Amino acid sequence: MEEILKIEHLVKTFGTNEVLKDIDFTVSKGNVISIIGASGSGKSTLLRCINMLEEATGGKILYHGKDILSGEVDEDKYRTKVGMVFQSFNLFNNYSVLDNCILGQTHVLKRNKEEAKAKAIEYLSKVGMAQYIKAKPRQLSGGQKQRVAIARALAMDPEVLLFDEPTSALDPEMVGEVLDVMKDLAEGGMTMLVVTHEMAFARDVSNRVIYMADGRIEEEGSPKDIFYNPQSPRTKEFLSRFTAN
Amino acid sequence: MKLSQSSLLLSDFGGEMTIAEMNFFQRMIYILQQYGGSLVKGAATTMAIAIICTLLGCVIGFAVGLVQTTEPHKKDGLLKRGILRVVKFILTAYVEVFRGTPMMLQAAFIYYGMSQLFGINLGMWSAAIIIVSVNTGAYMAETVRGGILSVDPGQREGARAIGMSHFQTMLLVILPQALRNIMPQIGNNLIINIKDTCVLSIIGTVELFFTFKSISGALYTYFEAATVTMIIYFVLTFACSRILRYVESRMDGPSNFDLATTDTLAFTSGLTKYNAKKGGTF
Ligand SMILES: Nc1ncnc2c1ncn2[C@@H]1O[C@H](COP(=O)(O)OP(=O)(O)O)[C@@H](O)[C@H]1O
Ligand SMILES: [Mg+2]
């Protein structure tokens, strides 16, 4: 399987606080990887380093073999290939739903307006939001905003999508609509790296699960291994919180 | 001379009458009849200076605010960092000096200083516009800086995450929102400028306050002239604040939006109104 991202000995410190300690893993085409772990274990920081919103302190992030930290990869171009969906949506408040999905295409990818619009509508339909193209973000519910944010990321034709707790800011009744969209994407072959507290998603949709604790990968394996046969006592302890009821 | 003219005009009010004999309302009417044209001209000058200078001040304010909120990139060299620091220092000095001294003195300083030190004779209009713009710019710089910082950092991250450059992010996402956030302060500045152009009378700009001084100087009717001029100022500022409110609400766009009909199977009957406030009843 074609390797897209290879993380080697990744380290990130904030001041003296070492948040990521020697992280190693590989993302290949078509992988759907769930990253689980307690709050504060460094999951967001890991995604933000991969998307270059934070600058890694040490180690390598290889994108098709090229280290993005070395300066030889164009940061903005790289970001179009590695999209990100945030917990807080981060839709552009000053644009309509449609323009949110067009802006990056026309200004970053230099697509013409027609093509960008067609693509935006295609992906908005995919997430079930095509009817809302004229709405402003503030007029949408959380679940709707997140689906638009996913469409916005997809419209850039990324190779990998990073999701940072995409359902954590949602009211419970809206979690399902977003997870359904993500499940569709996964089944369609999208390469995804998903930080989540939705254990059912991690277990049923992803094909690999990474459990993080204290800035390290404590355990990594298939959903079956992690959920039904965890090796590390810390993984067991963490998962027991979800299976208690 | 003037007084005899006035007695002619005021014959309707009961024959020959001097200013001294008129009552409050007669004097105001007299001022309007005699100086209406000058007052309109003065008001127009005041408005022109206030509007032009508020706009120019905004441009200056955005430029300065943009530089002041720019952080050096991690990969920038020492030279680039050094230049940015020096520029930021100069801009901070500009903001502090122009906010910290009276505009009337700034006007005298620039107008007379230019001619005395450099032999440059600024025309009255250019002097007026430079002074008020530069002064407004100093205030706007701080306002813009605050406006930029008040935009949710997530907006920047959302833009950067789809590959927008710093420049694109600022231009397309952050500044439009900052502009909307600071619209009330821009309006405030416009209103302050309408009133504060009066200090330009020190360099001889014939604006509304200058007209007031001429009228009261000629007729010795300070109270009536002040009343008339105040009413004009108030009408101008009040109209501006209403217009700006309207502009703000236009910027916000409608609170309703139309559901698009791309899904023709579900919506065969044309556009369906979706009321966002009522939370999703069709
Ligand atoms: N910008 C920052 N500055 C300093 N410390 C940070 C910053 N961002 C995150 N951290 C710290 O890094 C640790 C990991 O945070 P995070 O990656 O957000 O964890 P998670 O997403 O797993 O909850 C936390 O201890 C947090 O306080
Ligand atoms: Mg997090």
Side-chain angles (χ1 to χ4, degrees):
Chain A
M1 200 70 92
E2 186 192 347
E3 263 178 25
I4 299 176
L5 286 169
K6 193 170 168 64
I7 318 293
E8 290 181 349
H9 307 297
L10 187 70
V11 174
K12 173 67 185 173
T13 55
F14 288 111
T16 54
N17 184 10
E18 195 167 51
V19 174
L20 296 178
K21 304 159 188 164
D22 199 19
I23 301 280
D24 277 287
F25 70 100
T26 304
V27 184
S28 297
K29 199 165 160 43
N31 280 173
V32 177
I33 303 173
S34 288
I35 301 175
I36 60 174
S39 166
S41 56
K43 307 179 299 294
S44 295
T45 306
L46 174 59
L47 287 197
R48 292 168 62 82
C49 283
I50 294 175
N51 193 259
M52 298 178 86
L53 287 172
E54 299 286 356
E55 197 184 18
T57 314
K60 286 181 178 170
I61 299 173
L62 301 172
Y63 171 67
H64 292 295
K66 274 192 189 153
D67 187 5
I68 61 165
L69 304 174
S70 68
E72 59 184 283
V73 176
D74 182 280
E75 189 176 318
D76 294 335
K77 273 209 188 100
Y78 167 77
R79 285 206 183 101
T80 66
K81 289 288 152 201
V82 181
M84 180 125 169
V85 173
F86 300 87
Q87 181 176 343
S88 51
F89 328 122
N90 297 351
L91 290 179
F92 307 135
N93 296 325
N94 54 326
Y95 290 99
S96 68
V97 164
L98 183 64
D99 288 338
N100 261 277
C101 300
I102 284 180
L103 208 61
Q105 295 189 66
T106 51
H107 284 87
V108 181
L109 302 178
K110 311 289 180 203
R111 286 182 184 148
N112 69 48
K113 256 237 145 87
E114 262 66 303
E115 190 191 351
K117 189 175 172 186
K119 214 161 200 131
I121 290 177
E122 177 193 334
Y123 285 113
L124 283 167
S125 308
K126 200 166 184 170
V127 301
M129 288 298 294
Q131 290 168 12
Y132 294 85
I133 51 176
K134 290 180 189 164
K136 286 282 185 75
R138 69 185 148 85
Q139 294 165 322
L140 303 177
S141 71
Q144 291 174 328
K145 281 188 215 178
Q146 195 60 296
R147 286 187 281 146
V148 173
I150 293 172
R152 176 177 72 178
L154 288 173
M156 305 299 288
D157 289 328
E159 276 182 77
V160 189
L161 266 189
L162 313 176
F163 293 81
D164 190 5
E165 298 195 32
T167 58
S168 294
L170 302 179
D171 292 336
E173 71 268 22
M174 292 171 189
V175 170
E177 69 189 53
V178 172
L179 289 181
D180 285 346
V181 165
M182 292 170 61
K183 191 167 172 227
D184 279 350
L185 284 180
E187 283 165 1
M190 186 74 210
T191 310
M192 297 160 63
L193 201 53
V194 184
V195 171
T196 187
H197 291 295
E198 295 295 329
M199 292 304 143
F201 179 89
R203 189 190 59 210
D204 302 336
V205 181
S206 50
N207 47 38
R208 199 138 53 93
V209 177
I210 290 175
Y211 169 64
M212 279 183 70
D214 293 335
R216 289 182 207 283
I217 294 182
E218 180 74 17
E219 194 166 345
E220 179 180 356
S222 70
K224 239 190 198 160
D225 292 341
I226 299 288
F227 286 99
Y228 300 112
N229 190 19
Q231 301 301 306
S232 153
R234 295 192 69 170
T235 316
K236 273 181 207 166
E237 205 278 322
F238 176 76
L239 288 172
S240 69
R241 293 183 221 162
F242 293 90
T243 47
N245 44 9
Chain B
M1 244 284 270
K2 276 214 165 110
L3 292 186
S4 60
Q5 258 180 5
S6 75
S7 36
L8 280 175
L9 279 160
L10 280 169
S11 50
D12 297 345
F13 291 93
E16 296 283 308
M17 203 187 253
T18 64
I19 283 275
E21 291 162 354
M22 291 180 198
N23 69 26
F24 176 71
F25 293 103
Q26 288 169 327
R27 285 179 179 182
M28 293 224 294
I29 288 164
Y30 178 72
I31 288 170
L32 285 176
Q33 284 178 335
Q34 285 293 294
Y35 294 95
S38 318
L39 285 167
V40 168
K41 253 190 209 159
T45 306
T46 289
M47 281 310 289
I49 293 174
I51 290 172
I52 292 170
C53 295
T54 305
L55 291 176
L56 288 177
C58 285
V59 173
I60 296 173
F62 267 92
V64 175
L66 205 53
V67 175
Q68 284 183 327
T69 49
T70 301
E71 292 303 325
H73 197 278
K74 286 183 185 98
K75 284 168 200 135
D76 285 345
L78 268 178
L79 182 69
K80 226 172 155 185
R81 280 164 190 268
I83 292 172
L84 186 65
R85 276 188 73 160
V86 170
V87 171
K88 275 189 183 181
F89 176 79
I90 293 170
L91 294 179
T92 307
Y94 153 66
V95 169
E96 295 302 336
V97 168
F98 277 83
R99 286 199 315 168
T101 54
M103 188 158 75
M104 194 182 277
L105 283 175
Q106 293 163 16
F109 183 80
I110 293 179
Y111 186 66
Y112 298 113
M114 286 300 261
S115 77
Q116 201 164 318
L117 293 180
F118 306 107
I120 298 170
N121 214 332
L122 289 172
M124 228 173 44
W125 270 92
S126 31
I129 285 173
I130 290 172
I131 290 154
V132 182
S133 301
V134 166
N135 188 280
T136 309
Y139 280 93
M140 286 304 301
E142 280 301 287
T143 306
V144 171
R145 201 174 68 88
I148 290 174
L149 294 179
S150 74
V151 175
D152 170 19
Q155 295 288 304
R156 191 186 148 273
E157 298 197 338
R160 299 292 273 159
I162 54 171
M164 284 195 202
S165 65
H166 171 72
F167 182 72
Q168 288 172 329
T169 303
M170 287 314 263
L171 193 71
L172 300 168
V173 178
I174 308 297
L175 289 182
Q177 293 184 49
L179 177 66
R180 174 62 192 91
N181 289 350
I182 64 172
M183 272 308 282
Q185 283 101 306
I186 292 177
N188 211 15
N189 258 302
L190 175 62
I191 284 164
I192 287 172
N193 278 344
I194 292 173
K195 295 183 296 168
D196 280 5
T197 46
C198 75
V199 308
L200 293 171
S201 60
I202 197 177
I203 58 168
T205 309
V206 188
E207 40 66 69
L208 192 51
F209 185 72
F210 190 93
T211 315
F212 156 75
K213 283 207 302 191
S214 322
I215 297 171
S216 51
L219 301 181
Y220 299 104
T221 54
Y222 289 97
F223 180 43
E224 291 78 4
T227 309
V228 169
T229 316
M230 267 178 74
I231 291 171
I232 297 173
Y233 270 116
F234 178 73
V235 168
L236 295 178
T237 54
F238 189 72
C240 282
S241 80
R242 291 290 123 168
I243 291 169
L244 282 159
R245 285 273 171 78
Y246 176 73
V247 172
E248 280 175 38
S249 71
R250 283 297 300 267
M251 284 173 95
D252 288 341
S255 59
N256 289 339
F257 60 91
D258 292 324
L259 280 174
T261 51
T262 39
D263 190 349
T264 42
L265 285 177
F267 295 94
T268 45
S269 57
L271 292 176
T272 314
K273 270 276 191 216
Y274 178 88
N275 191 318
K277 277 189 185 143
K278 280 181 188 156
T281 43
F282 290 108

